[in-house]
Amino acid sequence: VTVRDAIYDLRDEAGDLPFNAETLTARAMLQAGQGETDPRHYSTAKLNYAKPAPTLRKDFLGYFHYRHPEAFRPLNLSEWKRIGTFPDDFTFTDKKNGCQRIGNSVPPNFMRAIAEHIYSTILTPTRITS
C-alpha cells in the first residue's frame, strides 16, 4: 500500500508535538523532495506518496524520523496508525506511546496474512488425490 493510499483521506492536521521550523534539520527537510532525507541527518526522511512507507521503527522520539510528504510537519498519530494498518478507532494513550507501540508491532494486516497462510497450508487437512 502506498503512503497516498493509506493517508489520502485524513485531514491534514499538525503533528501532536511542537515542531520548530527554524532548526537546521527543519530547513533542510523543507527543501528535500518526497522520499529524500536531509544529508546531514539521515534519520529524518520525507515519505513518498507513490511508494510504501519504510518500516516504522520503535525508537525514542521515533515520530521525528518521518515527515509528511507534502505538509511541513512530522506525521501525526492518525497517519502512523494508517501506515501501520491499525484501525482508525484503535486508541493509544498518547503520540509517543502510540508511535513506539506501532514501531514495536507486527502490522495487523501483515499478521492476518501470516495467520491465513498458516491456516491454509498447515492447519487445513490436505486431500490426497490419486
Side-chain angles (χ1 to χ4, degrees):
V1 174
T2 66
V3 171
R4 177 176 283 112
D5 291 339
I7 67 172
Y8 76 95
D9 62 338
L10 292 176
R11 220 177 64 224
D12 188 26
E13 54 191 47
D16 303 307
L17 293 176
F19 181 61
N20 182 354
E22 297 303 316
T23 67
L24 184 62
T25 300
R27 287 195 303 268
M29 289 310 298
L30 181 61
Q31 296 171 354
Q34 287 187 24
E36 294 180 1
T37 60
D38 170 6
R40 294 167 301 235
H41 302 90
Y42 287 105
S43 63
T44 304
K46 268 188 184 178
L47 295 180
N48 186 332
Y49 265 141
K51 295 182 179 180
T55 300
L56 299 176
R57 302 178 313 214
K58 178 186 184 251
D59 203 356
F60 181 70
L61 297 178
Y63 38 82
F64 286 120
H65 288 290
Y66 303 106
R67 304 277 183 211
H68 190 276
E70 291 178 343
F72 184 56
R73 62 172 175 76
L75 296 176
N76 60 46
L77 185 54
S78 297
E79 292 161 341
W80 271 80
K81 286 188 331 185
R82 283 278 186 90
I83 291 169
T85 71
F86 283 82
D88 288 341
D89 61 350
F90 196 89
T91 58
F92 294 100
T93 54
D94 58 29
K95 181 174 183 174
K96 178 181 168 190
N97 183 29
C99 293
Q100 287 184 349
R101 287 181 184 220
I102 291 168
N104 199 35
S105 69
V106 175
N109 287 356
F110 183 48
M111 194 65 237
R112 178 183 298 120
I114 292 169
E116 288 171 353
H117 178 74
I118 290 170
Y119 179 78
S120 66
T121 59
I122 298 172
L123 300 178
T124 303
T126 58
R127 296 181 196 172
I128 299 175
T129 58
S130 49

